[in-house]
Amino acid sequence: MWQGISPEAFGQYPDRVDLLFAALRFHQDMKSLSELRMALLTDPEALQSLIVTADRRKLLSALLATLQEKQLLESGLRSSDPLLSQLLSAQSSFATRRQVLKDGLIEIVKSLNELNIVPMLLKGSVSLWKSTPTWRFQRDIDLLVEPAQAAVAQNALLSIGFAPMAEQDKAPHHLQPVIRDDVPASIELHFATSNPRGEKYLPTIEYVTNSELSKTEYGSVFLPGAIEHMLHIVVHNHFTHRNATYGVSSLKGLYEFAWEVENASDQTVMQMYERARQAPRLLAVVDFWLAAVESDFGVKLPAELNVPTDAILRWQTHRARLLHGELPNLVTAYLEETDMIRARTSRMPDLLKAFWAPMRDILTAPILVGYRHQARKSAGIDME
């Protein structure tokens, strides 16, 4: 949590998702930057609330990077201001933490390579290896190995000092996480890219088939193709983490997706979109996410990619709930999901799936105990 606020006071700062959208937006003109600067300067608690809002969603490192890039820190705070010092210190801490994580990843890769295991990197581990984006925050390091190599790979981690995490069990798609005191993240060895909820929309075999070998002085790894990497962000959040079930979204996931789309070629984005067309439910969520990143992160989409109206309207409704801190009920979330799926298919088998797949996700979710807590957990929001 943000070091300038005590845990007791953390909850007193209101969510300012509107300011977070404005701060993280790509392609801002001078007018919008001036409006953001004034919003932060005229309200004494606005900047602090913005920081807390970003921190709750694990986007503080991204926020600090963009505030510095847009020179909003220097123009908004005096050099003697304690808050500026705290922010710069936090930014330095993030950079140091990433370097430690990268060093840990390199050590792990080398230990696996010595056993003729070449892992594939997943999610944030890709950014560590490529050193971009530098703001990407992660709590774990994810690596994919062949199922037959999983036990050997886990033993390799144990042999270099990692130990199983207490109260953390294995999952349908990865072994029990391990941890070591000098690496500030858990390590998850995957034998599938996603759990069964996500696997059906982006199979591991497709992920592996389209990967690329990266040989460096640090070792050898496989990196996911750009299309699969973008889609995995969507699948991981919307299906694996149950965003669909609770009718929520991870702003961290959305921003990471926005950055990937913004920095990809138009051809790659269109290829990603064509791949999403293979499954009506995947196409529905990709349309929804594209509506979000175009509307509130200012991502420039290819000219030939027109976001459907129903996706835009769904995002507007969803956005309004975000700004007011509201959660939909299960019926609302289900209807919003199925309406978009049904609009993208006319085949009877797919129509049946449109009703059944989201319902099955609801029936297998922990919806009866701590619903609000589970929904916020699904969206990746820390409230304590």
Side-chain angles (χ1 to χ4, degrees), residues 5 41-42 89 109 122 155 200 226 255 257-258 264 290 292 299 301 366:
I5 302 173
L41 292 178
T42 55
S89 175
V109 168
L122 303 176
N155 286 333
K200 69 183 70 173
Y255 187 66
F257 178 71
L290 288 174
V299 173
L301 301 178

Side-chain angles (χ1 to χ4, degrees), residues 181-255:
D181 289 343
D182 61 330
V183 180
S186 60
I187 314 301
E188 291 183 0
L189 279 177
H190 289 240
F191 42 84
T193 54
S194 303
N195 66 12
R197 288 191 301 278
E199 182 75 8
K200 69 183 70 173
Y201 300 104
L202 187 63
T204 299
I205 185 62
E206 179 179 347
Y207 213 85
V208 171
T209 300
N210 295 300
S211 64
E212 301 174 355
L213 179 63
S214 171
K215 285 188 174 182
T216 74
E217 60 183 306
Y218 306 123
S220 297
V221 299
F222 286 102
L223 297 176
I227 294 169
E228 290 72 31
H229 188 53
M230 277 190 278
L231 287 176
H232 191 233
I233 297 172
V234 177
V235 168
H236 178 71
N237 287 280
H238 199 73
F239 302 124
T240 299
H241 279 188
R242 300 186 185 276
N243 284 188
T245 298
Y246 295 103
V248 297
S249 61
S250 163
L251 292 190
K252 179 176 182 287
L254 278 174
Y255 187 66

